[in-house]
Amino acid sequence: MKEDNRAAADQAAKIIPIQWDATFFFERAVRSMDRYHYDKALKYFRLAVEYEPENPVNHCNLAGILSEMGQYEESNRILVEILETLDPLMTECFFYMANNFANMEQYEKAERSLLRYLEEDEEGHYLDDAEEMMELLQYELKRPSKIVTIKARQGFAEHDQARVMLEEGKFAQAVKLLESIVESNGEFMAARNNLALAYYYMGRFDRAMEAIKQALEQEEGNLHALCNLAIFYQHANDQENLVALADQLRRMVPFHQEHVFKLATTMGILGEHECALRHFRRLLKDGSGERDASLYHYAAVAAVHSDRLAEAEQLWQQAARRDPKSDVARYYLEQLAQAREGSQKLAASYHYHLPFEEQFRMWERLPGTMPDGMKSNPLVRSSFFWALRHGDRKTKLQVIQALGLIADSEVQEALKALLLEPEEDDDLKRLALFVLRSIGVSEPVPAVLGGKRKLVGSVADSAAAADRLPDWEPVWQRVLDTAFLRMGNEYGLLQQYDLMKLWLDYLTRVYPDVPKLAKPESWSAALEYLTAKHHRRAVSYQEVAERYGASAATVSKHAKRIDEICGVKE
């Protein structure tokens, strides 16, 4: 008897109780589907719903097996119920419904459901399938579908637009767009990286460093972010962090061509030219960008800095053949020949354009103009914005003039920002105001002048003379307008500004005993003569008088009077 009891106990111990729950029936259903036993799968999915009626996934699985069995209407009824009562955020249900409607040849309804999916689904798991289905529906309906915003791709089109802005040097516009993208999609790493670069190009270094560190908190191994951080460390002369990061980058061997190119250019900028050359060779060897002259230029520069002059020559020759309209390769081939003769040392830049020194020589020869290549080059524009924030006074004067020749919305924003810098020199701000007026900004602009914030509207305001010149006479303005018109492109904005300052200084000193200006043109000519002399230009009273239709004697008289009052020669 004891043995029977023991046997019964052993038997009981071997019995494993079955846990009847939704997971159990789900697994049975999946096993039945794998064996194409759809009736059994349907039964098990229904049981899973009974055990967990509040779980929308169970209902969705049930709708799925019904669709597989051709019961499309019942499947859609369940999908609608999920969206209306269980989980409105389960937007993939719209995609499943579109499939069911398409199988029932109800193409209008299928299109409406598919558009809802594209508009509302954030994840985009079925995005490729949805786009294929849209092509099918367009064929069946014999018309294009309504254009919608694809939520799963929200930010991608905007990001492409922001990248174009960066390439065009429209940094302020790019920042605004990238900030909005990052705010709505914090995991968009490319947008975070480009936002950091946009800040950097504008000279907002602290914001750039903050943005790149936020990107690395999001994804610590992101190669683009690490490369950007290395450039920022180099700018900040943070050698301790730069050495460690450069060593980490030196050991990396990326696979994707985009990453190889980013790493190669970064190592070149960091002065790791041997490493840069290895990566550029990889890109040239696998055919990536073999028709792109700039890639041959980058490799040539790395070769020069690695003392491989023969290789550099071959690479620049390749670049010249692929981009015959560009002067870059020809310029460096000439410099290379001179370096070999020992007449000068070759200084090669990774930037694919003529060195800034060459471009500025062209600009200085024509003070009232700027070569189109300089205006549109984002690197040139970036250097101007950098200098406006971090340069010395002389550099800032030159940059403000240059920005006046570019004269676009980016320039306006940069100059307006300068006006609000409390530590900036007032005279630089007045020049910035003058440039803003000269490029068509007519409305009053806020500025901090004399330590006080004010709205600056008129020419007199812009020279901080409003307190002493309460009335601004039209004839005074005519003197300035005539001078600016006749000076034309022969003078730069700085010379025009100096002329305006001189005129306002004279009016302020003699006010209220301003002489009657019977012939304003002669006063304009006198102002140009004095301005030209101040800037060491060879000019005579006769020459200036003829251009203004005035007598040399009158121009001389006015010039001497202005000099007596203002002490120009002193």
Side-chain angles (χ1 to χ4, degrees):
M1 188 69 180
K2 289 181 178 178
E3 290 180 3
D4 291 341
N5 289 338
R6 191 181 301 114
D10 291 341
Q11 186 79 12
K14 292 178 182 177
I15 296 173
I16 300 173
I18 296 175
Q19 180 107 22
W20 300 95
D21 60 10
T23 303
F24 170 80
F25 291 116
F26 170 78
E27 291 172 352
R28 287 293 180 92
V30 171
R31 201 176 309 155
S32 297
M33 285 186 67
D34 290 342
R35 296 171 181 170
Y36 302 104
H37 297 161
Y38 292 124
D39 289 338
K40 286 186 178 180
L42 178 59
K43 180 181 73 171
Y44 289 130
F45 276 132
R46 287 192 190 278
L47 287 169
V49 168
E50 289 179 13
Y51 271 83
E52 287 186 2
E54 301 301 319
N55 188 339
V57 176
N58 293 331
H59 292 265
C60 198
N61 289 331
L62 179 57
I65 189 61
L66 287 168
S67 181
E68 288 288 336
M69 297 174 70
Q71 299 182 38
Y72 304 119
E73 290 185 358
E74 178 64 11
S75 175
N76 274 355
R77 185 192 65 77
I78 293 172
L79 292 168
V80 169
E81 185 179 344
I82 292 170
L83 290 166
E84 289 182 350
T85 63
L86 293 174
D87 188 358
L89 299 179
M90 205 167 182
T91 49
E92 60 265 38
C93 289
F94 290 115
F95 176 74
Y96 303 142
M97 289 167 63
N99 268 293
N100 288 336
F101 282 127
N103 284 319
M104 291 187 286
E105 298 185 1
Q106 298 180 23
Y107 300 120
E108 295 276 359
K109 291 182 179 179
E111 182 187 47
R112 284 198 294 272
S113 296
L114 194 59
L115 292 175
R116 284 289 297 277
Y117 169 74
L118 293 171
E119 288 176 322
E120 297 187 20
D121 186 76
E122 292 185 355
E123 302 299 326
H125 292 308
Y126 300 104
L127 194 53
D128 291 339
D129 294 326
E131 290 176 340
E132 286 183 17
M133 190 191 300
M134 189 63 75
E135 290 181 11
L136 171 66
L137 294 176
Q138 288 176 354
Y139 173 78
E140 294 292 348
L141 293 168
K142 296 181 175 56
R143 60 167 174 77
S145 295
K146 174 187 173 185
I147 298 174
V148 297
T149 300
I150 301 176
K151 192 166 188 176
R153 286 188 174 159
Q154 194 167 8
F156 280 78
E158 291 86 350
H159 179 250
D160 287 341
Q161 184 182 355
R163 284 200 322 186
V164 171
M165 289 175 178
L166 285 177
E167 290 169 1
E168 294 176 348
K170 298 175 180 177
F171 305 121
Q173 294 178 44
V175 161
K176 290 178 182 178
L177 189 51
L178 289 165
E179 284 176 339
S180 68
I181 295 171
V182 169
E183 185 177 351
S184 60
N185 185 358
E187 296 181 1
F188 200 156
M189 286 299 295
R192 284 190 176 277
N193 274 316
N194 281 324
L195 177 60
L197 285 176
Y199 285 140
Y200 179 73
Y201 292 149
M202 293 179 69
R204 299 165 68 179
F205 182 71
D206 292 341
R207 296 294 300 273
M209 187 65 82
E210 179 185 349
I212 210 64
K213 288 185 175 178
Q214 288 174 352
L216 287 167
E217 287 173 8
Q218 191 84 20
E219 187 181 324
E220 62 179 356
N222 185 275
L223 180 64
H224 281 267
L226 289 171
C227 287
N228 292 338
L229 181 61
I231 301 299
F232 296 170
Y233 280 150
Q234 184 187 56
H235 165 79
N237 199 26
D238 186 348
Q239 291 300 314
E240 183 178 353
N241 283 315
L242 177 59
V243 168
L245 182 52
D247 185 58
Q248 179 185 348
L249 293 173
R250 201 180 298 113
R251 296 194 302 270
M252 288 184 174
V253 185
F255 173 75
H256 294 293
Q257 293 172 354
E258 178 189 355
H259 291 165
V260 177
F261 181 76
K262 178 70 176 181
L263 184 57
T265 52
T266 300
M267 298 310 284
I269 293 169
L270 296 180
E272 300 280 347
H273 304 295
E274 293 276 0
C275 182
L277 183 57
R278 285 199 306 274
H279 291 304
F280 284 130
R281 284 171 177 165
R282 284 179 61 196
L283 291 171
L284 291 170
K285 188 176 180 180
D286 67 17
S288 170
E290 68 175 11
R291 296 184 181 278
D292 188 350
S294 62
L295 181 57
Y296 285 92
H297 168 73
Y298 304 142
V301 173
V304 163
H305 290 298
S306 302
D307 294 324
R308 293 177 172 84
L309 300 187
E311 183 177 355
E313 182 178 27
Q314 292 176 355
L315 290 164
W316 270 318
Q317 287 171 348
Q318 292 272 25
R321 282 195 287 271
R322 282 162 174 77
D323 190 4
K325 294 182 179 179
S326 172
D327 294 325
V328 175
R330 286 194 295 274
Y331 169 82
Y332 280 109
L333 285 169
E334 291 174 4
Q335 297 297 305
L336 183 60
Q338 294 176 16
R340 281 175 165 165
E341 294 171 0
S343 59
Q344 65 180 47
K345 186 177 180 181
L346 176 58
S349 166
Y350 281 98
H351 299 312
Y352 187 58
H353 57 64
L354 289 175
F356 288 148
E357 294 79 7
E358 287 293 308
Q359 299 191 48
F360 273 106
R361 284 192 199 105
M362 295 166 61
W363 176 40
E364 287 170 355
R365 287 195 293 268
L366 298 168
T369 62
M370 178 181 289
D372 290 338
M374 288 183 69
K375 287 185 181 181
S376 60
N377 191 311
L379 294 169
V380 174
R381 294 168 65 95
S382 173
S383 68
F384 286 161
F385 292 134
W386 258 107
L388 193 61
R389 284 181 173 270
H390 306 293
D392 57 26
R393 187 178 185 280
K394 180 181 178 182
T395 301
K396 288 180 179 180
L397 281 170
Q398 293 175 322
V399 165
I400 292 171
Q401 290 183 83
L403 293 177
L405 297 174
I406 297 174
D408 59 15
S409 59
E410 292 274 322
V411 165
Q412 292 182 22
E413 288 198 33
L415 294 178
K416 287 177 180 177
L418 178 74
L419 297 179
L420 295 173
E421 290 290 337
E423 303 301 320
E424 193 55 84
D425 181 77
D426 276 2
D427 204 43
L428 285 174
K429 292 178 184 177
R430 294 182 187 117
L431 176 58
L433 281 163
F434 177 75
V435 170
L436 284 169
R437 295 290 177 245
S438 71
I439 63 178
V441 178
S442 56
E443 73 277 6
V445 292
V448 176
L449 289 168
K452 297 179 181 179
R453 185 180 176 114
K454 61 179 73 174
L455 269 180
V456 183
S458 69
V459 173
D461 287 337
S462 68
D467 292 340
R468 287 173 289 175
L469 289 175
D471 299 312
W472 183 250
E473 300 294 337
V475 69
W476 300 347
Q477 183 64 44
R478 184 179 162 190
V479 170
L480 286 178
D481 292 342
T482 301
F484 295 154
L485 179 65
R486 299 291 171 87
M487 290 171 82
N489 291 336
E490 295 297 318
Y491 295 84
L493 286 169
L494 182 59
Q495 287 78 32
Q496 293 180 26
Y497 173 66
D498 283 344
L499 182 144
M500 183 192 76
K501 280 204 306 179
L502 178 59
W503 181 230
L504 288 165
D505 184 35
Y506 171 74
L507 293 174
T508 301
R509 289 172 184 267
V510 299
Y511 188 83
D513 299 321
V514 179
K516 291 183 179 180
L517 307 179
K519 193 168 184 180
E521 291 80 7
S522 58
W523 287 92
S524 302
L527 289 168
E528 181 184 328
Y529 175 85
L530 290 170
T531 302
K533 288 295 185 181
H534 176 68
H535 286 273
R536 296 180 176 84
R537 290 198 175 201
V539 66
S540 67
Y541 288 121
Q542 186 64 39
E543 177 188 343
V544 174
E546 285 178 0
R547 288 199 294 105
Y548 284 84
S551 72
T554 304
V555 171
S556 173
K557 182 181 71 173
H558 292 336
K560 289 175 181 176
R561 178 59 180 159
I562 294 171
D563 186 25
E564 287 173 5
I565 298 296
C566 300
V568 178
K569 291 179 181 177
E570 293 178 11

